[in-house]
């Protein structure tokens, strides 16, 4: 009996490892939010790391985390490093591309609780009196990460957080019209009033 259990366990492990090996070598997670504001106003919030605590969903994971700003004051060359609790870990971001008011490219380095090196992009596209803001993260998927992704839905976990931001800034306001959750992500709890619309569409009306 014991030998059979061991063989079954080994077979299960082998199946997981083989399945992980079949996964792609890269990943991409992306969500889009439509905000009733001009792209210039939104871009200013994204382009300056000092503004991120006012809107980023990650800032809420540990409000007491240590933040360090260096490099340029904003835009290309600006650097933001953080270190906090187990929810936020330790990492560093550097803006590599800043094209006002349409594109922001960020080198994103996670150091703790795991090491990973990815790219984050913000793309802003005006649509009438709203601006579509796409927030994406992409990068390599080494074998160890493929094994983790076998048990963790990265798209749902990260995409759900992306769908929450950009959040309401402390000043300036604006109306979030809808969130595209077509990839499976869902906005988390929000202090905004949340009204259900057709599938995968959520309305946030900021008071």
């Amino acid at each position: 009996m014991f030998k059979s259990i061991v063989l079954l366990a080994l077979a299960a492990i082998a199946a997981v490892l083989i399945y992980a090996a079949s996964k792609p070598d890269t990943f991409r997670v992306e969500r889009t939010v439509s905000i009733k504001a001009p792209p210039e106003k939104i871009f200013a919030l994204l382009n300056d790391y000092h503004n991120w605590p006012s809107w980023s969903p990650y800032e809420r994971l540990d409000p007491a985390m240590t933040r360090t700003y260096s490099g340029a004051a904003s835009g290309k060359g600006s650097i933001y490093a953080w270190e906090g609790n187990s929810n936020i870990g330790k990492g560093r971001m550097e803006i590599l591309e800043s094209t006002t008011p349409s594109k922001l490219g960020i080198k994103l380095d996670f150091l703790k609780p795991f090491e990973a090196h990815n790219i984050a992009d913000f793309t802003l596209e005006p649509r009438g009196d709203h601006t579509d803001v796409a927030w994406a993260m992409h990068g390599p998927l080494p074998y160890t990460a493929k094994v983790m992704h076998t048990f963790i839905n990265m798209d749902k976990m990260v995409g759900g957080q992306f769908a929450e931001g950009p959040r309401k800034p402390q000043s300036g306001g604006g109306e979030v019209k809808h969130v595209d959750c077509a990839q499976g992500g869902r906005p988390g709890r929000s202090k905004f009033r949340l009204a259900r619309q057709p599938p995968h569409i959520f309305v946030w009306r900021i008071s």
Side-chain angles (χ1 to χ4, degrees):
M1 174 64 77
F2 178 76
K3 184 178 180 180
S4 298
I5 294 175
V6 171
L7 290 175
L8 286 173
L10 291 175
I13 293 172
V16 168
L17 296 178
I18 293 171
Y19 176 70
S22 69
K23 287 183 170 292
D25 294 327
T26 60
F27 79 96
R28 182 180 182 88
V29 178
E30 181 173 344
R31 295 293 186 272
T32 298
V33 60
S34 181
I35 303 174
K36 189 175 183 180
E40 294 80 7
K41 185 175 182 180
I42 302 168
F43 188 85
L45 290 173
L46 305 176
N47 197 46
D48 186 343
Y49 285 131
H50 296 85
N51 293 324
W52 282 48
S54 70
W55 66 264
S56 173
Y58 293 99
E59 295 283 341
R60 300 195 309 276
L61 297 178
D62 182 9
M65 68 179 171
T66 301
R67 304 172 179 86
T68 304
Y69 304 94
S70 59
S74 63
K76 185 176 181 179
S78 60
I79 298 169
Y80 172 41
W82 75 88
E83 185 169 7
N85 60 23
S86 59
N87 292 323
I88 194 67
K90 179 180 180 180
R92 179 183 184 273
M93 295 187 292
E94 180 180 356
I95 296 180
L96 301 180
E97 177 186 356
S98 178
T99 305
T100 307
S102 59
K103 179 72 179 292
L104 198 68
I106 298 172
K107 180 184 178 186
L108 179 57
D109 298 313
F110 297 101
L111 303 177
K112 293 181 180 179
F114 57 85
E115 185 173 352
H117 305 280
N118 302 314
I119 296 294
D121 295 317
F122 290 93
T123 306
L124 290 74
E125 183 175 353
R127 293 188 181 277
D129 62 348
H130 288 74
T131 300
D132 286 351
V133 183
W135 186 359
M137 182 173 69
H138 53 94
L141 199 62
Y143 184 71
T144 53
K146 292 180 181 182
V147 175
M148 291 176 58
H149 283 209
T150 302
F151 302 98
I152 300 173
N153 188 325
M154 186 73 167
D155 185 86
K156 184 175 181 179
M157 180 179 68
V158 176
Q161 293 169 328
F162 281 9
E164 292 190 35
R167 291 283 301 265
K168 174 188 176 183
Q170 295 301 314
S171 61
E175 180 185 346
V176 181
K177 185 181 180 183
H178 75 269
V179 175
D180 175 9
C181 299
Q183 297 299 319
R186 293 173 59 89
R189 291 185 178 180
S190 170
K191 60 184 178 183
F192 306 146
R193 298 196 301 273
L194 181 63
R196 288 190 178 275
Q197 298 295 319
H200 308 306
I201 300 297
F202 294 79
V203 174
W204 287 342
R205 186 171 300 280
I206 300 172
S207 303

